[in-house]
Amino acid sequence: MILEIMLVLLMISTGLFIHELGHAVATVMQNKKATAEIYLGSSSKEKKLKIILGRITCYLTLALYGFCIQPNWREVPLSAVRPRTIFLLGGPLLSLVGAALFYAAAIFSSGVPESIFVNLAGICFFLFASPLLPFTYPRFLGGGRSDGLQLLNLIKENRKQRNAVL
């Protein structure tokens, strides 16, 4: 039973990593100076697996939530509407790609691997759809704003700025 729990946590963490990697890739592809950091779980760097993928640094552990930050945001701001929108949509889009790839892998598998791939596809699809809904996560899942809520706030702020100019 403990092995099954660890496997479920590992699959959730894998789905979260894929989602956050989408945000990180969107960040570094928009600007040659931008860097990104992915955290699974808390923002602590202690007792986590550290992986460096070019300008993306990952701090990984088994977790139920994750987030991506741009540590050099003062040098390379992501405050404009277009870059911020691309950043916010990067996570859900890579989650959707991950869901499709894991589902395809399940089609060509059987037995336990097929079951693992189907579950990973489901997790990735959930991490595509649910973050697009505008809500605040409960405290035990980090307590942050969903990608959808951040997008909605970005759209509202952009409208206010446009109306103020007119």
Side-chain angles (χ1 to χ4, degrees), residues 64-65 137-143:
L64 295 176
Y65 68 94
Y137 288 99
R139 192 162 186 74
F140 73 94
L141 292 177

Side-chain angles (χ1 to χ4, degrees), residues 50-163:
K50 180 180 178 180
I51 299 174
I52 299 173
L53 306 168
R55 292 181 284 146
I56 301 170
T57 305
C58 310
Y59 299 96
L60 309 176
T61 188
L62 294 178
L64 295 176
Y65 68 94
F67 58 95
C68 176
I69 63 169
Q70 182 186 4
N72 64 338
W73 64 272
R74 284 190 163 92
E75 300 167 32
V76 188
L78 267 181
S79 58
V81 174
R82 184 172 182 224
R84 187 81 181 138
T85 301
I86 292 169
F87 169 80
L88 291 170
L89 291 176
L93 290 177
L94 194 57
S95 291
L96 184 61
V97 169
L101 291 175
F102 284 128
Y103 186 74
I107 290 171
F108 297 105
S109 305
S110 63
V112 173
E114 177 187 21
S115 178
I116 290 171
F117 287 139
V118 165
N119 284 308
L120 280 167
I123 289 166
C124 283
F125 187 79
F126 179 79
L127 291 171
F128 156 71
S130 65
L132 290 175
L133 300 173
F135 68 96
T136 301
Y137 288 99
R139 192 162 186 74
F140 73 94
L141 292 177
R145 296 173 295 158
S146 70
D147 298 334
L149 182 57
Q150 291 180 63
L151 274 171
L152 186 62
N153 291 340
L154 187 64
I155 291 167
K156 287 179 182 178
E157 185 62 34
N158 189 38
R159 280 191 187 150
K160 282 182 188 177
Q161 289 176 1
R162 272 199 266 158
N163 289 339

